[in-house]
Amino acid sequence: MNLTLKNLYDDFRDPKTIKALAELITQEAEKLDRPVNIMEVCGGHTHTIMKYGLKQLLPEKIRFIHGPGCPVCIMPKERIDHAYILAQQPDVILVTLGDMIKVPGSKGSLQQARSQGADVRFVYSPLDALKIARENPEKRVIFFAIGFETTTPMTAALIDRAEKLGVTNLLYHINHVTVPEVMRELIDSRDEHIDSYNNRIDAFIGPSHVSVIAGAKIYREFPERYGRPVVVSGFEPVDVMEGVLMLVRQFTQGRCELEIQYRRSVTMEGNLSAQRQIDKFFEKRELFKWRGLGNIPHSALKLREAYAHLDAEKVYGEQLPVEEIEDHKLCICGDILRGMAEPTECQVFGTACTPSKPLGSCMVSSEGACAAYYKYGDLLQRRSDR
Ligand code: SF4
Ligand code: SF4
């Protein structure tokens, strides 16, 4: 028999296994004397929870809170405006990944910039930006880099390759963000506003792709310092359910630990050579503004001073505005990203705001909470009506 990718996934999506895990969680949860709120930090987990109806399989005492783990969703309008303005500079090709081109900034989305004549290109791999730069030596190519720890090594590899090949017409606008700092922000209250929601989170499901690179060690402080257990889980439904079971067992057994469910790829230390390459090109920013969360210290990366000549934020500094921009007044993405609201609580969810015409960022990326609710909400309703 030929082994296909589907064969590899099937066991991790097997309905019988998912139901058996749901039963084990239910039995274990009966021992709890209070409900447990679990934040799944990453939108990849939110997508799985919605797609496979995992919320509906869990007992009432176990609740999911959706977190801010989507690089598309958390991008503030100011940064999207930067991309929009850069794309309209003479002789510039702006290159970016994923759903970024659909996110509305205050001037419009990159898609709109493109319809007005700007050269905006969407790529699947950062290395494609190098190809575009080499094919267009008379232009300046700007790579608008986004993503958590998972994608940062790819941007580092792009810079490294471009340097080695002597490519000089490729610049970078760096928007790489880091997970532990935002988790800390959600718990470690710095002001009264944040204090109003931090106590809702009892435990975390940690994103596994981030830990493949950075190691599970980045979450150590949460059980040790904040008393919140973390289980680093994969993205398949069986992974998420096993992660939930591991967390519930920690509560019933009186433990508070960092555990790895996704043992097939995650270690405590992570990928050390990727970490070294990231360190070669990047350093922490003092502050980075997250949509809905405001400025979070040390929660993002920037190019090191030695690479300032490649930094589009510096090269085009005079054209790029610095003032803060409010979100659309009806959009509650901020509350959703803080785990304070569900998408269906938004007045314009599914009416004025849909994936084809998003008002806010959470409706854009397929892993954004609003997009996941929009796509799978009917399915869940039909299941609950049965
Ligand atoms: S785009 Fe994303 S949600 Fe959105 S996530 Fe990716 S890594 Fe997590
Ligand atoms: S439904 Fe649209 S407008 Fe409402 S919170 Fe989600 S993205 Fe924002």
Side-chain angles (χ1 to χ4, degrees):
M1 182 184 98
N2 286 334
L3 195 63
T4 65
L5 205 52
K6 185 173 175 307
N7 297 132
L8 295 175
Y9 285 135
D10 273 351
D11 284 350
F12 296 104
R13 297 178 181 177
D14 177 34
K16 280 194 196 133
T17 314
I18 296 170
K19 276 191 190 143
L21 282 162
E23 275 166 31
L24 285 174
I25 294 168
T26 304
Q27 285 166 20
E28 200 67 29
E30 278 167 17
K31 301 179 208 162
L32 293 168
D33 52 13
R34 65 175 179 90
V36 171
N37 297 317
I38 300 172
M39 173 172 272
E40 87 278 359
V41 180
C42 178
H45 284 138
T46 310
H47 185 82
T48 300
I49 288 163
M50 295 304 293
K51 180 172 178 183
Y52 294 94
L54 304 186
K55 253 171 105 150
Q56 278 64 19
L57 293 174
L58 293 182
E60 275 191 8
K61 274 188 194 160
I62 309 298
R63 300 170 190 159
F64 285 121
I65 301 178
H66 311 312
C70 174
V72 174
C73 299
I74 60 87
M75 199 63 65
K77 282 191 172 172
E78 294 85 335
R79 308 291 293 180
I80 296 157
D81 283 359
H82 279 198
Y84 187 96
I85 291 165
L86 289 172
Q88 290 181 326
Q89 299 304 307
D91 296 322
V92 159
I93 302 173
L94 189 102
V95 178
T96 192
L97 292 173
D99 298 310
M100 208 57 230
I101 60 170
K102 289 189 270 169
V103 186
S106 73
K107 298 173 191 306
S109 65
L110 285 173
Q111 210 162 27
Q112 286 163 326
R114 187 155 67 176
S115 68
Q116 289 157 14
D119 194 344
V120 178
R121 303 193 194 178
F122 156 74
V123 292
Y124 289 100
S125 159
L127 286 177
D128 294 340
L130 182 57
K131 186 165 173 277
I132 294 169
R134 297 182 85 186
E135 285 170 357
N136 296 276
E138 73 295 353
K139 301 266 178 143
R140 218 172 213 179
V141 175
I142 300 176
F143 181 60
F144 188 78
I146 62 163
F148 284 94
E149 288 88 337
T150 324
T151 50
T152 316
M154 291 191 267
T155 306
L158 168 65
I159 303 169
D160 192 47
R161 185 81 66 88
E163 287 279 282
K164 283 180 179 146
L165 290 170
V167 174
T168 55
N169 64 329
L170 182 54
L171 304 186
Y172 311 90
H173 189 283
I174 301 298
N175 302 277
H176 284 299
V177 282
T178 50
V179 169
E181 286 74 15
V182 70
M183 288 169 64
R184 200 181 297 148
E185 182 78 8
L186 290 170
I187 293 182
D188 188 11
S189 54
R190 290 190 175 79
D191 60 40
E192 285 172 15
H193 172 60
I194 291 172
D195 197 30
S196 64
Y197 60 82
N198 67 11
N199 290 328
R200 296 182 68 202
I201 304 165
D202 297 310
F204 289 103
I205 289 192
S208 55
H209 293 171
V210 162
S211 287
V212 170
I213 304 297
K217 63 178 187 285
I218 60 170
Y219 304 118
R220 258 188 201 130
E221 64 186 295
F222 297 99
E224 288 175 6
R225 183 170 162 210
Y226 296 105
R228 261 68 165 202
V230 178
V231 173
V232 180
S233 298
F235 288 99
E236 294 299 328
V238 166
D239 291 323
V240 176
M241 292 298 269
E242 192 186 5
V244 171
L245 180 61
M246 290 166 75
L247 280 173
V248 177
R249 283 190 172 143
Q250 289 205 34
F251 281 94
T252 59
Q253 294 169 5
R255 293 182 289 120
C256 179
E257 294 168 14
L258 166 61
E259 292 184 294
I260 303 171
Q261 179 278 332
Y262 196 67
R263 285 178 295 273
R264 49 197 194 276
S265 299
V266 171
T267 61
M268 272 297 162
E269 291 310 311
N271 182 332
L272 296 177
S273 81
Q275 290 169 28
R276 272 193 296 275
Q277 197 164 39
I278 291 167
D279 196 47
K280 178 178 169 192
F281 294 108
F282 301 114
E283 60 185 346
K284 288 275 188 183
R285 277 178 200 268
E286 280 186 15
L287 282 178
F288 187 85
K289 184 181 165 194
W290 292 56
R291 191 178 282 231
L293 288 155
N295 288 309
I296 304 181
H298 311 299
S299 64
L301 302 176
K302 63 179 181 184
L303 280 168
R304 287 190 179 279
E305 203 48 44
Y307 303 98
H309 59 293
L310 302 176
D311 191 339
E313 268 186 85
K314 291 195 168 135
V315 174
Y316 289 92
E318 286 184 10
Q319 281 92 324
L320 301 179
V322 290
E323 60 274 10
E324 302 213 344
I325 300 163
E326 294 287 309
D327 281 329
H328 191 288
K329 61 181 184 315
L330 291 176
C331 176
I332 60 163
C333 277
D335 286 344
I336 292 169
L337 292 167
R338 294 198 306 268
M340 286 299 289
E342 292 208 342
T344 45
E345 291 170 49
C346 175
Q347 282 180 48
V348 290
F349 172 81
T351 53
C353 182
T354 61
S356 58
K357 213 164 167 267
L359 266 187
S361 57
C362 297
M363 192 57 99
V364 175
S365 144
S366 62
E367 285 152 345
C370 296
Y373 272 67
Y374 185 87
K375 190 165 179 197
Y376 301 115
D378 280 353
L379 175 74
L380 298 177
Q381 190 56 46
R382 282 201 300 277
R383 277 184 195 153
S384 65
D385 288 347
R386 266 184 218 156

